[in-house]
Amino acid sequence: MKKIVISLGGSVLVPSLESNNISRYVSVLKKIAGEFRIFIVVGGGGEARRYIRVARDLGAGEAAADELGIMVTRLNARLLIAGLGDAAYPRVAENYTEAREFAETGKIVVMGGITPAQTTDAVSAVLAESVGADLLINATSVNGIYSADPKKDAGAVKHERLTPQELLDIITGSRMNAGANTVLDIVAGKVIERSGIPLLVLDGRDPENLYRAIMEGTYAGTVVSKESSNPLLP
Ligand code: UTP
C-alpha cells in the first residue's frame, strides 16, 4: 500500500469547534484509508493562536507559547481520533518513532506538533521522510502556492508546479517577491527538498478536494516535485 502523509490545518479541520466539521473529514479519511496507508498531522488553527496570544500577553516566552500551541494541535488530533474511532490508532503519536510503531497496526496514525520553533508543516514533512511516504499533502485554506498572498494581493498568480528548490527559494525569499506567501515553514521546505517526496498543496476546506486528489488524481493545487509527472498516478 502506498503511504500518504496529510497535513490538515487546524483551520481546515476545525474552522469552528463543531462535530460536523470533523465528521465530514472522518468519512473521507476512512474511504481513503481503504486504499492507502495514511498518516495525519493536525494543526492548531484559531484556538492555538488564541492560546498563544494570551500566553504572550501574560509574559510567556516564545518557547512556552509554542508548547501551548503544540498542546492545542494534540487536542485537535484527539478529536479527530475520537471521530475516526476504530479506524485510527487510539493515541496521538508524540514523536516519529511512535508514529512508525503505531502504523504497524495498519490503523490511521494521527499526530500534532512535536517541538517548539516550527509548525505542523515541518512535522508532516519529517514524518513523510521518516515513514518513506510516497506523497505529502498539505490541506490548507488556500488552493495552492501563490506568487503573493492571494488574500491580500489580487494580482497573485498560482504556481501550478514548482521544483523543491523553487519552493525553498520562495520560502526563504531569495527569489520572487520578498515575503511572498510562505505557505510552509522553512524546516518543511528543507525536508521536502532533501527527501524528494512530492508535495501537493490543495484547498482542504472542502474534504472532497482531498478525496478527488487522492482517489481520482484530479486537483486544483500546486505540485512540488522534481519530476514533471503527476505524482498521484501509479
Ligand atoms: P500549526 O502547525 O497549526 O501552526 O501549529 P500555524 O502556522 O498556526 O498553522 P497553519 O500552518 O497556518 O495552518 C500551531 C502552533 O503550535 C506551535 C507553533 O507555535 C504553531 O504556531 N507548534 C506546532 C510548535 O511549536 N511545534 C510544532 O511542532 C507544531
Side-chain angles (χ1 to χ4, degrees), residues 7-12 41-49 52 56 62-74 76 96 112-124 138-141 182-185:
S7 176
L8 271 187
S11 54
V12 162
V41 182
V42 181
E47 206 65 36
R49 275 192 290 279
I52 288 168
R56 280 193 191 124
E62 285 305 301
D66 280 344
E67 295 284 3
L68 276 171
I70 293 168
M71 291 172 91
V72 177
T73 64
R74 290 178 175 168
N76 287 339
Y96 304 106
I114 292 288
T115 189
Q118 60 174 36
T119 73
T120 47
D121 295 338
V123 176
S124 64
N138 193 296
T140 181
S141 55
T182 54
V183 279
L184 298 173
D185 69 30

